[in-house]
Amino acid sequence: MRTFWFASFLLLLVINSIGQIPQVLKDINNRSFSSGASSFTTVGNVVFFVAEDPDRGRCLFKTDGTAEGTVLVKDLIPTQTTDPNIQSLTNVNGTLFFTQSSPTSSIRLWKSDGTEAGTVIVKQFTGVAPSLLTNVNGTLFFRATTSTTGQELFKSDGTDAGTVMVKDITAGNIGTAMDNLVNVNGTLYFTASTTVNGREIWKSDGTSAGTVMVKDIIAGSTTSNPQNLTNVNGTLYFSATNGATENGQELWKSDGTEAGTVMVKDIQTGANSSSPGALTAVYGLLYFAANDGINGNELWKSDGTEAGTVLVKDINTAGGSNPDRITVVNNHIFFTATDAAANNSLWKSDGTNAGTIQLPVDAVVNTSPSFLINAGGTVFFRATVSAAIGQELCKSDGTVQGTVLVKDIYTGTTTSNITPMTALGSNVIFGANDADFNIEPRISNGTAQGTTLLKDINARTDQSAANQLITLGNEVFFIANDYRKGAGVWKSDGTEANTRFVKEPAVLSPPQINFNTPSFITNINGTVYFSWTGEVQDMELWKTDGTSEGTVQIKNINPSGHSEPREFFAFNGAIYFSAATAAEGRELWKTDGTDAGTVLVKDINPGTANSTPISFTILNNQLFL
């Protein structure tokens, strides 16, 4: 487990039952660090993401769009001190696949059903982490490297035995440089480079025999440089060149056969390239950016025929508008482009010249929008609205009047550093920071009031934190630090006036809360258990009923020093935990809330050595650790 000797901070929020407006309940300590929430990926009704936990480091989280439903899924390497690099989160028919690597552990392919038990290693690799994870009708395809084959094409059904190399395209350990994996009606298409044919289009049905080159567009070892592979209703579109003396990089399509792999149109005639980019499928048509040599790089569309491949609009009459980030919403596309006055802004198009219009944000034209995403028919994006506001969350319904700032999350000129977003129904989930919190997960329904902090996951400062909140009746108990009095147990009924210490630290002279335990405060049958220092300054086992008089030490487990109880876990009416003594070291203990009922369960590692029990779980009415 990674241990951070920082304390942390959390603003307690209470929801007004009438207005549903989040309010600060009490600002106990007013500085924070960031969880760096990122890689938001929607799987069914939840969003997975990667964030920094204050006790565990970089971990996998999930959210259902509520604070209560924003939880740690699993600490992938609980014994490692270096954060794992978690990447390539991919939805494969309702199962999340991802990769994990670090300098001190193996490279692994994982899968998760959203539970800790269901988050498991699929297969271990060496060298370079698997990448380009692609779902093809429930089978995961990806590229991976082994010492005997180099980089080649792999597939997985989610089991170790079913995670195998599809084909050693380049025999031996040389490997095959591949890219652009895309699913076209159940067939995987990709680009691969060999010494015999150069880089060309390949396809695979998941078998070695069915993994073949589609066409050697430029015969021999010269590459045709295929890029931007895109599926449009079962037809593969891409850009490629058939030779410097014939045509440059132009628009091509393929039906998976050699004869059916043809150039659609020589948009910039001759050996010069139109360089098609941002290829996007839109209801059976292909929209893309291309340069015809006359109008600059502008918005085009194609129905797959030469005659039906046409310029939509010359947006920038003084040069190219460089359309990008094409996003489909209902029957229109939204994209970014730069006009003749050098204003980079949001645009919308229905595929006609007249229906291609600019969408300023609150009448501001030059906003540099990015991270466009469709959430329930509304386009969300980040943009710089003005010098006074900075880069913030915006939305558009496709009208000039409906293209507006959602919220100035970090008020003033400072940007909120919005991360790439994902849609959860009509909401968006993303990372952002403000004056009180660094980058943490947020949710927005498109209104200022509905754009809120989802959870302060990495709640840390150089003081202490409100954390480990538990409910007991109509009150919430938690641990927090008042920098004037020290750290202690607090409780709250949801009002500022009744958010206070359970027992003043001055009485306990001064307390030290054990922040090295992710779940040390626990409610069992109406009593809250926790570890704390008492008058003799030893970290021991305590309990409280919510009153000062009822907040007492249960047992001095280690009379010669700290026992530091931690890892509290409720099981069969008792609390199991680890504690340290001079005679037995750190071992497994349990308590029923009394001195006599607080006993050593077993000296697992006999003598003064530690067994350090952690990660308790229940299976078939038995406790495992």
Side-chain angles (χ1 to χ4, degrees):
M1 176 181 295
R2 266 98 38 211
T3 301
F4 295 89
W5 291 105
F6 294 95
S8 48
F9 147 79
L10 181 66
L11 286 179
L12 299 178
L13 299 181
V14 61
I15 303 296
N16 182 298
S17 60
I18 299 175
Q20 294 297 306
I21 302 173
Q23 301 172 345
V24 175
L25 180 57
K26 192 155 192 167
D27 186 2
I28 296 172
N29 216 322
N30 62 356
R31 288 176 293 173
S32 69
F33 288 81
S34 171
S35 74
S38 61
S39 302
F40 296 96
T41 303
T42 303
V43 180
N45 295 321
V46 300
V47 171
F48 289 86
F49 60 98
V50 181
E52 185 91 5
D53 181 275
D55 294 298
R56 301 170 177 89
R58 209 90 180 130
C59 296
L60 182 68
F61 285 79
K62 70 174 181 180
T63 181
D64 61 3
T66 67
E68 297 79 11
T70 303
V71 296
L72 174 74
V73 176
K74 188 164 187 169
D75 183 5
L76 302 183
I77 316 176
T79 60
Q80 184 170 294
T81 58
T82 304
D83 280 343
N85 187 14
I86 304 171
Q87 294 182 314
S88 303
L89 276 65
T90 304
N91 178 9
V92 180
N93 290 17
T95 297
L96 180 77
F97 284 80
F98 60 95
T99 65
Q100 164 263 311
S101 61
S102 72
T104 57
S105 71
S106 299
I107 297 165
R108 298 168 175 138
L109 176 68
W110 289 72
K111 69 176 181 179
S112 177
D113 62 3
T115 68
E116 182 176 12
T119 302
V120 296
I121 298 169
V122 177
K123 198 175 188 75
Q124 295 199 151
F125 291 86
T126 58
V128 180
S131 58
L132 304 179
L133 277 62
T134 304
N135 176 21
V136 180
N137 294 5
T139 297
L140 177 71
F141 286 84
F142 57 96
R143 68 181 184 189
T145 302
T146 71
S147 58
T148 56
T149 65
Q151 183 187 86
E152 293 293 349
L153 181 66
F154 281 70
K155 70 175 181 178
S156 177
D157 62 3
T159 68
D160 185 292
T163 303
V164 296
M165 183 176 67
V166 176
K167 184 170 185 170
D168 190 3
I169 296 174
T170 302
N173 61 4
I174 298 174
T176 303
M178 60 184 61
D179 211 341
N180 291 281
L181 277 65
V182 63
N183 175 16
V184 181
N185 285 10
T187 297
L188 178 75
Y189 285 81
F190 59 99
T191 65
S193 180
T194 67
T195 56
V196 176
N197 304 110
R199 181 170 292 280
E200 298 293 348
I201 295 286
W202 286 65
K203 68 177 181 178
S204 177
D205 62 3
T207 68
S208 179
T211 302
V212 296
M213 183 173 64
V214 175
K215 183 171 183 171
D216 191 6
I217 295 175
I218 302 179
S221 60
T222 303
T223 179
S224 68
N225 194 34
Q227 298 176 3
N228 303 305
L229 277 62
T230 304
N231 174 25
V232 181
N233 280 8
T235 297
L236 176 72
Y237 286 82
F238 59 98
S239 68
T241 178
N242 61 4
T245 60
E246 297 182 43
N247 308 107
Q249 195 83 11
E250 296 294 345
L251 183 65
W252 286 66
K253 69 176 182 179
S254 177
D255 62 3
T257 67
E258 182 176 4
T261 302
V262 296
M263 185 171 66
V264 176
K265 184 170 185 170
D266 188 10
I267 295 173
Q268 187 166 163
T269 57
N272 293 327
S273 299
S274 68
S275 302
L279 277 64
T280 306
V282 184
Y283 297 105
L285 296 177
L286 177 76
Y287 282 77
F288 60 100
N291 183 352
D292 62 4
I294 300 171
N295 300 294
N297 194 42
E298 293 291 349
L299 182 67
W300 286 65
K301 68 178 180 180
S302 177
D303 63 2
T305 67
E306 183 175 5
T309 302
V310 296
L311 175 71
V312 175
K313 184 166 186 162
D314 185 10
I315 294 172
N316 187 347
T317 55
S321 68
N322 298 315
D324 201 3
R325 303 180 176 93
I326 299 174
T327 303
V328 183
V329 181
N330 298 326
N331 296 319
H332 293 79
I333 63 167
F334 289 74
F335 59 99
T336 63
T338 303
D339 63 19
N343 296 311
N344 183 257
S345 57
L346 184 69
W347 287 70
K348 180 187 81 167
S349 179
D350 62 2
T352 67
N353 186 307
T356 302
I357 61 172
Q358 191 176 45
L359 296 173
V361 178
D362 292 329
V364 178
V365 177
N366 190 18
T367 57
S368 300
S370 59
F371 299 157
L372 277 63
I373 189 166
N374 175 14
T378 297
V379 175
F380 288 82
F381 57 98
R382 72 174 187 184
T384 303
V385 180
S386 70
I389 293 177
Q391 189 181 70
E392 293 294 345
L393 182 66
C394 301
K395 70 173 183 179
S396 178
D397 62 3
T399 67
V400 173
Q401 297 79 10
T403 303
V404 295
L405 172 73
V406 175
K407 184 174 184 176
D408 186 7
I409 297 173
Y410 200 129
T411 55
T413 60
T414 306
T415 180
S416 62
N417 293 310
I418 293 170
T419 67
M421 297 176 266
T422 192
L424 185 63
S426 59
N427 299 315
V428 286
I429 307 289
F430 58 97
N433 67 297
D434 58 22
D436 295 314
F437 301 92
N438 281 322
I439 295 177
E440 297 290 347
R442 315 251 171 176
I443 186 169
S444 177
N445 63 2
T447 68
Q449 290 182 345
T451 302
T452 61
L453 177 73
L454 195 54
K455 192 166 189 173
D456 184 18
I457 292 174
N458 194 358
R460 299 181 300 170
T461 70
D462 56 357
Q463 296 295 319
S464 72
N467 70 359
Q468 303 185 38
L469 285 73
I470 63 170
T471 301
L472 181 58
N474 295 320
E475 295 179 312
V476 173
F477 287 74
F478 58 97
I479 303 302
N481 182 76
D482 183 320
Y483 70 93
R484 294 157 297 187
K485 298 179 180 179
V489 179
W490 291 62
K491 69 175 181 178
S492 175
D493 64 359
T495 66
E496 182 174 3
N498 289 324
T499 301
R500 58 181 185 267
F501 279 112
V502 170
K503 193 161 190 169
E504 285 283 346
V507 176
L508 295 179
S509 177
Q512 297 293 321
I513 298 301
N514 180 10
F515 280 100
N516 193 28
T517 307
S519 57
F520 73 93
I521 180 167
T522 307
N523 170 22
I524 295 293
N525 297 330
T527 299
V528 174
Y529 293 81
F530 56 99
S531 61
W532 207 0
T533 56
E535 292 86 344
V536 295
Q537 296 294 296
D538 289 336
M539 185 76 74
E540 292 296 346
L541 182 64
W542 286 69
K543 68 177 180 180
T544 182
D545 60 6
T547 67
S548 179
E549 298 77 15
T551 303
V552 296
Q553 186 184 85
I554 298 173
K555 187 180 184 100
N556 187 7
I557 295 173
N558 187 11
S560 62
H562 300 284
S563 72
E564 295 186 277
R566 61 180 69 161
E567 306 292 346
F568 292 176
F569 190 87
F571 177 61
N572 281 354
I575 289 190
Y576 288 77
F577 59 97
S578 75
T581 66
E584 291 95 8
R586 180 163 293 279
E587 295 294 346
L588 181 65
W589 286 68
K590 71 175 181 179
T591 183
D592 61 3
T594 67
D595 185 305
T598 303
V599 296
L600 176 71
V601 177
K602 187 179 178 73
D603 189 4
I604 298 173
N605 193 352
T608 58
N610 302 319
S611 71
T612 315
I614 61 172
S615 302
F616 300 158
T617 190
I618 300 170
L619 180 63
N620 295 332
N621 202 35
Q622 291 182 307
L623 182 67
F624 288 79
L625 58 146

